[in-house]
Structure formats: C-alpha cells, structure tokens
Amino acid sequence: MFDIGVNLTSGQFDKDRDDMVARASAAGVTGMLITGTNLPESQQAAELATRYPDCWSTAGVHPHDSSSWDANSAQALRALAALPQVVAIGECGLDFNRNFSTPDEQERAFSAQLALAAELGMPVFMHCREAHTRFLALLDPWLDKLPGAVLHCFTGSAEEAQACLSRGLYLGITGWVCDERRGLELRELLPLIPADRLMLETDAPWLLPRDLRPKPASRRNEPCHLPHILQQVAHWRGEDPQALAEITRANVMRLFFNR
C-alpha cells in the first residue's frame, strides 16, 4: 500500500514522528508521499523524505498559501524539484471555500506551478475545492505538456469525477469516503473510477475515518489507517483488497516514478 498524501511536516507529529512512521510500516504501508504545501514545508518535506525509508515528497504552494507567491517562488521550487526524493510539483490548485488567498492570487500561483511542472517534465499533485470549473479551465492548456497529474483528496460529484477522468487525471481517495454524513455521494461514485486511475491516501493528520473501530483516542489521522481505507474502498467497489492495493501502487509507480 502506498499513501500518496501524508502531511508529515505537521506539528501534530512533532512528538512521535518516528513512532508514527514505524506504525505505518508495521501496518503494511510500503511507501509514503510527503506533501509540500508552501516553500518552507516543501523544504522540510524533502528533508523528511531522506530521513525515512520508502518516502518521497512534493514541492509546491497550496492555494491557501498562494498570497506568498512572488518572483522568487518558482526558482525555489525548481531547486527543490532537482532533489531526487522530490517527485511532483504541488500541492497546488484552487480552493474557493475559504479564500485564505484571493482567487486571483490562487490562479496566479496555480498557473505558474503548472508551467514549472511542464518545464521540468514532472507530474502535478493538485487540490481543488469549490472551484471545479475554473480549476479545469486553468489546467486544460497544460494537460498535453504534463506527464500526468493527480487530483488529491477528491470529494466532488460524479460529473466532476468524469470530467477529471476524461482528461486522464488520477483521483486520490481518502477516509472522507468513510464518513456517513459527508461521504455518501463519493462512496456511490467509487465504481465509476477505473482501477488504473485510482490512488489512496490518508491526508494525515486530517480526515480520520469516522468508521474506524475501535475509535482512536486521538482524532489525529495516521498513515497506519490506510489499510482501513483500502478495505472500505475495495468493499464499496466490489473488489479484492489485495488486488486493489497492487493496482493502486502500480498507478503510483507509473505517475511519480515512470515505471
């Protein structure tokens, strides 16, 4: 199992990061992609990826942090992207839910990171929330210039899923699908996602699966819960969990490692 979305730089892991990584390995997680969400955290993610085995990282500026984008940002990301453990540009995209950065700032940073990924021939690790139409409008001109892209933590509608899949995107599914309040629509569309376009992730420390039993004492999510997400997704897709684990890992190898 490969977890494509781990916020290992989060301060929530400061006291037990080593133990958390060990628990993930013991649970059968054989690879983790550490998310970079701004320049300092992308640097930290790259450093952590060398500290732990079977870890890699992304380098990017999240839409929430897009107001920090300036003339030096692309060069800083370019330097990080040259590191062997950095395998994707991102997390980048649009988030019009809270607009911590203005839509214009988000669009500028997203477009600049798409251009950088195209220049470097690297895949893109993307975020989209309540911005589907504009997200695709900005992405479309770059699709034929990128080696591939994943929309991580997908929580959209069936129509939005089909729009992404028709463009060749991979979709990352998290424990959101285990939420009986908010995840039912996503659960129903799971069978619509071709197995060769599906990836799995925890987005730890966020999105602890609500149907975990017994419930953890902490509300913090960890990569060790990825097997639960795998089991549930396989169940709702009517597939064998082991086979799905192998297919989703193969997808990761193809997108991020060109294998």
Side-chain angles (χ1 to χ4, degrees), residues 4 7 41 71 82 93 117 127 132 134 144 157-159 165 176 196 207 239 246 249:
I4 68 158
N7 296 285
E41 289 195 2
H127 173 108
H132 175 75
R134 191 64 184 142
D144 63 350
S157 66
E159 180 181 4
L165 293 168
W176 179 285
D196 65 357
L207 299 181
E239 295 174 341
E246 293 172 0
R249 183 177 176 83

Side-chain angles (χ1 to χ4, degrees), residues 7 35-39 42 59-69 77 89-111 113 124-131 135 138 151-152:
N7 296 285
T35 311
T37 57
N38 55 44
L39 294 179
S42 292
V61 175
H62 189 284
H64 288 343
D65 292 293
S66 294
S67 61
S68 68
W69 188 270
L77 289 183
I89 298 298
E91 180 176 358
C92 60
L94 301 177
D95 191 316
F96 293 168
N97 176 255
R98 294 185 181 177
N99 287 326
F100 290 126
S101 294
T102 68
D104 284 348
E105 290 169 334
Q106 293 183 46
E107 292 187 11
R108 183 179 75 249
F110 182 33
S111 294
Q113 289 174 90
V124 185
F125 186 86
M126 301 184 299
H127 173 108
C128 179
R129 189 175 184 189
E130 297 183 17
F135 171 82
L138 295 177
L151 179 52
H152 114 99

Side-chain angles (χ1 to χ4, degrees), residues 14-35:
D14 285 350
K15 293 182 179 180
D16 65 342
R17 193 171 278 111
D18 292 352
D19 291 340
M20 185 275 293
V21 173
R23 284 192 292 272
S25 179
V29 177
T30 56
M32 294 192 296
L33 186 59
I34 304 169
T35 311

Side-chain angles (χ1 to χ4, degrees), residues 1-3 23-32 54 223-227:
M1 288 171 289
F2 200 110
D3 190 341
R23 284 192 292 272
S25 179
V29 177
T30 56
M32 294 192 296
D54 302 315
C224 67
H225 299 314
L226 188 67

Side-chain angles (χ1 to χ4, degrees), residues 160-171 192-194 197-198:
E160 290 171 350
Q162 293 289 17
C164 293
L165 293 168
S166 70
R167 288 165 166 80
L169 303 185
Y170 293 86
L171 298 181
L192 302 178
I193 305 173
R197 289 288 145 184
L198 177 64

